[in-house]
Amino acid sequence: MTMDEPDFLDINDNQRIAYHKIDGQKPGIIFLCGHGSDMQGTKSIYMENWARTHGHGFIRFDYRGHGASDGNFLDLAISDWTADALAVIDHLTVGPQILVGSSLGGWIMLNAACRRPERIAGLIGIAAAPDFTKELIWDTLDKDAQSAMKQSGFLSVPNPYADEPVIYPYHLVEDGAAHLHLQGDTIKITAPVRLLHGMQDEEVPWQVASRIMEKLASDDVLLHLDKNATHRFSEPAQLDMLGQTITDLVRRIQDNQTK
């Protein structure tokens, strides 16, 4: 963990997002954290250290409602966090970028790549969780539970990482419906994509990664399944795999640029 003070990017008249940025060669790398996580996580810091070692530009940031950024977590949704990622791409970077998205970040990276295809050199999803508001929340509820969530405005579920429960507001499900990727025929992304997923993931089934792979328009997609990894995918061997994946992807992108 690093205790350096972050910089801030204005999102609107009264909200800012916190970020850390290092300059370096292209393609740059942007890390997108998971739902309720922040830019101080193990994978985020690992990626920053990788970027420093290899001389690449790198940004990690907190979505609104997360970490050091402004905003109330429960007031925000997929549209807001996608807008945050697009603001980082548009205002803090120049040239091609690789998006590395963990869990929710894997959904946000797909959204951003569809919105800014000319800026995206490649994607790496770590336990990527597109459509989770529909498939892993709403669709798991029976009719009575769905009605109760609508009436109360939220769903409370046990948190596997803390004593406090996870709260999913109903507006998160409503907003997520405008950003679904797995319900149609094709995800219109042609950049190279690498997907890492643990087969012991109890939050996002590893089959989600396989479905993403099948639906991507790109012909350059590789899926790595770790039989022992959980949703966090942050043990030393898994971080090594992340580092090797980004190394290989950067090399492939640079080779393609010289052809």
Side-chain angles (χ1 to χ4, degrees):
M1 180 177 293
T2 177
M3 299 305 292
D4 293 344
E5 289 297 317
D7 292 311
F8 290 91
L9 174 66
D10 290 333
I11 294 297
N12 50 42
D13 291 338
N14 59 5
Q15 289 184 320
R16 309 177 301 167
I17 57 174
Y19 70 92
H20 288 277
K21 176 182 178 181
I22 58 175
D23 294 323
Q25 63 180 304
K26 305 294 188 299
I29 301 160
I30 303 173
F31 186 82
L32 309 171
C33 65
H35 186 250
S37 185
D38 60 41
M39 61 176 168
Q40 302 286 12
T42 302
K43 294 184 289 292
S44 179
I45 301 303
Y46 177 89
M47 287 302 308
E48 179 172 278
N49 290 335
W50 183 97
R52 290 186 186 277
T53 299
H54 293 83
H56 277 268
F58 178 80
I59 295 176
R60 55 188 170 95
F61 71 97
D62 289 331
Y63 313 117
R64 278 173 288 168
H66 292 69
S69 292
D70 295 334
N72 185 327
F73 176 66
L74 294 180
D75 290 341
L76 298 156
I78 306 301
S79 294
D80 303 297
W81 302 323
T82 299
D84 295 344
L86 292 173
V88 167
I89 294 169
D90 292 345
H91 299 295
L92 300 180
T93 72
V94 176
Q97 303 294 313
I98 294 173
L99 305 184
V100 181
S102 175
S103 193
L104 164 70
W107 190 353
I108 302 301
M109 80 176 185
L110 295 177
N111 291 350
C114 289
R115 295 279 296 276
R116 298 289 188 275
E118 73 285 354
R119 296 295 314 283
I120 305 305
L123 303 176
I124 298 177
I126 309 166
D131 301 20
F132 81 84
T133 54
K134 170 178 169 55
E135 296 191 352
L136 303 181
I137 300 176
W138 187 250
D139 289 353
T140 65
L141 305 176
D142 60 26
K143 295 298 183 182
D144 289 341
Q146 289 178 346
S147 296
M149 186 180 186
K150 281 185 178 181
Q151 289 184 339
S152 67
F154 69 93
L155 175 71
S156 176
V157 300
N159 188 335
Y161 306 114
D163 293 335
E164 295 295 322
V166 178
I167 304 297
Y168 293 116
Y170 179 61
H171 75 84
L172 180 68
V173 174
E174 291 183 298
D175 181 77
H179 301 278
L180 302 177
H181 291 284
L182 300 180
Q183 316 309 312
D185 294 329
T186 304
I187 303 173
K188 295 179 180 180
I189 293 171
T190 57
V193 180
R194 304 294 180 260
L195 299 168
L196 309 177
H197 215 114
M199 297 184 75
Q200 302 305 314
D201 190 332
E202 296 183 355
E203 283 96 271
V204 182
W206 64 263
Q207 290 87 348
V208 170
S210 180
R211 292 169 60 205
I212 297 170
M213 184 178 189
E214 291 172 355
K215 289 183 177 293
L216 283 164
S218 175
D219 291 326
D220 187 357
V221 184
L222 297 176
L223 168 59
H224 175 85
L225 295 176
D226 186 318
K227 185 175 182 179
N228 298 311
T230 64
H231 186 64
R232 286 190 164 181
F233 208 92
S234 57
E235 295 300 319
Q238 291 140 24
L239 295 176
D240 287 345
M241 172 54 62
L242 175 57
Q244 187 60 55
T245 299
I246 188 69
T247 299
D248 293 345
L249 182 56
V250 166
R251 184 181 299 120
R252 183 166 183 80
I253 291 167
Q254 291 174 337
D255 287 347
N256 287 340
Q257 290 172 342
T258 60
K259 289 180 180 178

